Amino acid sequence: MTNGQDEPEKLQSVSLKWKSRVIAIVCLLLLLMIVALLAIGIGSTRISFSTTLSIILSKLPGVSITPTWPGPIETAILNIRMPRVILAGVSGAALSVAGATYQGLFRNPLADPYLIGVSQGAALGAIIGFLIPLSASALSLGIVPIFAFTGGIGAVFVVYSLGRVGRTLPMTTIILAGVALGAFLSAVSSYLLITSGSSLHGISAWLMGGFSSPQWKHVWVTLPVSAIGMVFICLFGRQLNIMQFDEEQAQQLGINVERTKRILLVVATIITAAAVSFGGIIGFVGIIIPHAVRLIWGPDFRFLLPLSVICGAIFLITADLLARTLLSPSEIPLGIITAFFGAPFFLYLLRRRKKAVF
């Protein structure tokens, strides 16, 4: 009798958890829109929330709003601040969901999107892009982002080739290959930095992360790649849940483990490389956001992944806002802001993990 009475209570508890997480997603989406509008309105010239919203709505098809604002304000909103905020949000979402994916694949909450060499490969590619003797007009077309993206993807491809054993993909071997290749690429990058001469300042600024020169063409490249990748990853929430137990059990439950690992590694790498290409090396986002979401809403990847997307976007938009306003008119590298929040949280995770072990 007790089991029969407990069953409805369990079903009700599960239903309440689903409802609370769905409500959390809706509320966070609303918060994301508010934070984005506030970030677009705040800058060297403060623009009210209502004016910012009116300018954006006036550009939508079928919406007619009589302009009551000066032309320069509209230009600043649409051509400078809006692409920057969108790029920051997309990059934060991509890094967060990639971090959650890596944590699920490696079954380690301390894994991040840069674990197997994306950042080191992208950094080397970007440095080469800065050092190639091309005109400034050529660089403005995106030579550095292209080289950074290619370097990040290429590094992971090498790690994959080194770590693969037959048709299997042992996670431990992948990590070891990533650490070894990352050390080698970092050494090459350090040498190129020493010999970079007048390009050192631009390289250093890129390596510390930031969105100081946003353009819509960057958004039109990053947004579709990242959006498609993030949606695709979110569809694998159930598989990641099952893979947290044991690979053999997951195989018995109908999951093609090796195929799933390959697909998720490839997609997570692509969206990470896309984010890094235009934003530089932005650390800690892929660790702190998925783990914070896990602490608040639980480890179910069916909700962990979409919640990480939204929270990552909110976090990086806010961090970018702080980076460009705290010492205005100067700008703090975005990587410093994320490290300021991320490093203490990372130490908290280590301490929490230590207590769990001992």
Side-chain angles (χ1 to χ4, degrees), residues 36-61:
L37 288 171
L38 289 174
I40 292 171
I42 296 175
S44 56
T45 301
R46 296 257 175 166
I47 304 171
S48 67
F49 184 90
S50 58
T51 301
T52 302
L53 182 60
S54 297
I55 292 174
I56 295 173
L57 290 177
S58 68
K59 299 303 176 182
L60 297 178

Side-chain angles (χ1 to χ4, degrees), residues 63-264:
V63 178
S64 178
I65 298 177
T66 303
T68 58
W69 51 82
I73 289 182
E74 181 173 326
T75 301
I77 289 289
L78 297 178
N79 296 331
I80 299 176
R81 296 184 187 176
M82 195 170 172
R84 176 168 184 157
V85 169
I86 294 175
L87 199 59
V90 172
S91 298
L95 291 173
S96 298
V97 77
T101 304
Y102 274 67
Q103 290 170 12
L105 288 175
F106 293 101
R107 288 185 286 180
N108 188 335
L110 301 183
D112 79 338
Y114 306 147
L115 183 64
I116 57 175
V118 175
S119 61
Q120 294 90 339
L124 179 58
I127 292 172
I128 294 173
F130 275 104
L131 296 180
I132 287 179
L134 293 172
S135 64
S137 60
L139 286 175
S140 67
L141 296 176
I143 297 300
V144 171
I146 290 173
F147 273 66
F149 182 83
T150 304
I153 296 293
V156 174
F157 177 78
V158 173
V159 169
Y160 175 84
S161 301
L162 293 173
R164 186 178 58 181
V165 179
R167 294 186 177 182
T168 63
L169 199 64
M171 292 292 101
T172 303
T173 309
I174 289 290
I175 293 175
L176 293 175
V179 170
L181 183 66
F184 174 75
L185 295 178
S186 296
V188 176
S189 298
S190 298
Y191 173 77
L192 292 178
L193 274 175
I194 294 172
T195 60
S196 60
S198 60
S199 300
L200 179 61
H201 178 73
I203 294 172
S204 300
W206 188 92
L207 291 176
M208 287 189 288
F211 303 98
S212 58
S213 302
Q215 298 181 45
W216 276 111
K217 62 182 178 182
H218 299 158
V219 175
W220 298 136
V221 171
T222 308
L223 180 59
V225 173
S226 300
I228 293 171
M230 288 185 289
V231 171
F232 190 80
I233 287 175
C234 288
L235 298 176
F236 281 80
R238 175 181 168 274
Q239 288 89 327
L240 282 171
N241 280 339
I242 296 174
M243 289 172 63
Q244 298 314 295
F245 298 104
D246 184 81
E247 290 190 6
E248 292 183 3
Q249 291 183 5
Q251 199 79 37
Q252 293 171 359
L253 291 172
I255 303 298
N256 190 330
V257 175
E258 297 303 324
R259 177 174 171 270
T260 301
K261 287 193 291 187
R262 286 195 297 269
I263 291 174
L264 291 179

Side-chain angles (χ1 to χ4, degrees), residues 3 7 42 67 182 197 202 207 236 264 268 273 284 289 309 337 339 344 350:
N3 293 336
E7 194 67 27
I42 296 175
L207 291 176
F236 281 80
L264 291 179
F284 290 105
I289 298 302
V309 169
I337 300 294
L350 290 176

